[in-house]
Amino acid sequence: MDIAGTARLLINNDGHSSLELTVEPWADTHRIPPGKTRVVVIHSPDRDGPWHATLGEDEPFRVEHRPDAITVWANSTCYHLSDTAGAPIDAEESPCPARRPAAAVPIAPLPPVRSDLTVIYTEQLDACRAFYTGLGLPLVPERHGTGPEHYAAELDGTVLELYPAGRRGVTGYLRLGLVAAAPGLRPGQHTLSDPDGRTVVLTVPEDAAPAREGDTDRGR
């Protein structure tokens, strides 16, 4: 609610078909197309409510969900619809034609998602450490508090850790993609297996140091 005694309810249709929106107590029905958002706007004569038609005076809306439909009880003497930029929708049919359109309701974008940790549990800790170190990963020993000793490598924006399996069990099938200038491997893509049989797709950049004479691809 803002200082004008206005409340807004955003309804987003993220499905693949139209969503039926019914606004009560007027029994007005609207269709929200897929990927669109509608804003139900109501007004109170008082700066902070109350919302006289509601079960509780501090509740401007009551919402009922059904398959492919939603009902909004707009707890006011009138309402209107707008888009998220504040432009009125079906203004000629609105029970509040004389009220000013709603102010823009900003929708914050979702923050980017990235992976920052991969943990592999193994019963062959030393063998896996030797394998991944041989690919160029800078694994170093670590221990957190009373936890088990393990190995960790800080990569470009993420961390790869090797832990003894213990009660957690061994990490099963995994396809791991790495980019590294692995010693002895020619530039290009190599499909390898770590000591536990997990697939490691290793890409050696074209600008990596040239392989020594006699070196062969370790891919399978």
Side-chain angles (χ1 to χ4, degrees):
M1 186 192 322
D2 63 18
I3 60 173
T6 299
R8 303 176 179 85
L9 178 66
L10 276 70
I11 302 174
N12 179 53
N13 181 8
D14 57 2
H16 300 290
S17 58
S18 294
L19 176 67
E20 179 183 283
L21 166 63
T22 301
V23 183
E24 296 286 6
W26 299 273
D28 291 345
T29 300
H30 307 270
R31 306 297 297 185
I32 304 179
K36 297 296 184 179
T37 298
R38 295 293 182 258
V39 185
V40 180
V41 186
I42 65 174
H43 306 281
S44 169
D46 302 316
R47 174 170 175 169
D48 294 317
W51 308 98
H52 297 286
T54 183
L55 297 178
E57 290 189 350
D58 58 343
E59 300 173 2
F61 299 104
R62 180 158 54 92
V63 180
E64 299 173 355
H65 298 269
R66 304 186 307 282
D68 301 321
I70 187 170
T71 297
V72 174
W73 287 83
N75 300 317
S76 181
T77 56
C78 65
Y79 83 98
H80 70 266
L81 290 185
S82 76
D83 60 19
T84 55
I89 297 174
D90 298 332
E92 66 279 2
E93 301 175 5
S94 171
C96 288
R99 299 300 297 265
R100 59 180 176 80
V105 180
I107 301 178
L110 293 175
V113 177
R114 63 183 180 87
S115 174
D116 64 358
L117 177 64
T118 299
V119 180
I120 296 175
Y121 295 96
T122 176
E123 291 179 346
Q124 304 185 74
L125 185 60
D126 290 337
C128 284
R129 178 194 59 79
F131 172 81
Y132 287 102
T133 299
L135 299 184
L137 275 67
L139 288 163
V140 296
E142 284 188 348
R143 182 191 296 271
H144 305 303
T146 59
E149 183 173 288
H150 59 279
Y151 296 94
E154 292 190 10
L155 308 178
D156 184 14
T158 188
V159 174
L160 176 70
E161 293 185 335
L162 301 177
Y163 264 81
R167 59 182 175 82
R168 297 182 179 87
V170 175
T171 299
Y173 178 77
L174 178 69
R175 187 178 180 90
L176 187 64
L178 297 171
V179 178
L185 286 179
R186 301 180 186 280
Q189 190 174 90
H190 308 265
T191 301
L192 314 172
S193 293
D194 75 3
D196 290 325
R198 287 175 284 268
T199 301
V200 178
V201 179
L202 177 71
T203 300
V204 179
E206 292 294 333
D207 58 356
R212 298 186 301 274
E213 184 178 351
D215 287 340
T216 58
D217 294 345
R218 283 187 262 162
R220 57 174 174 84

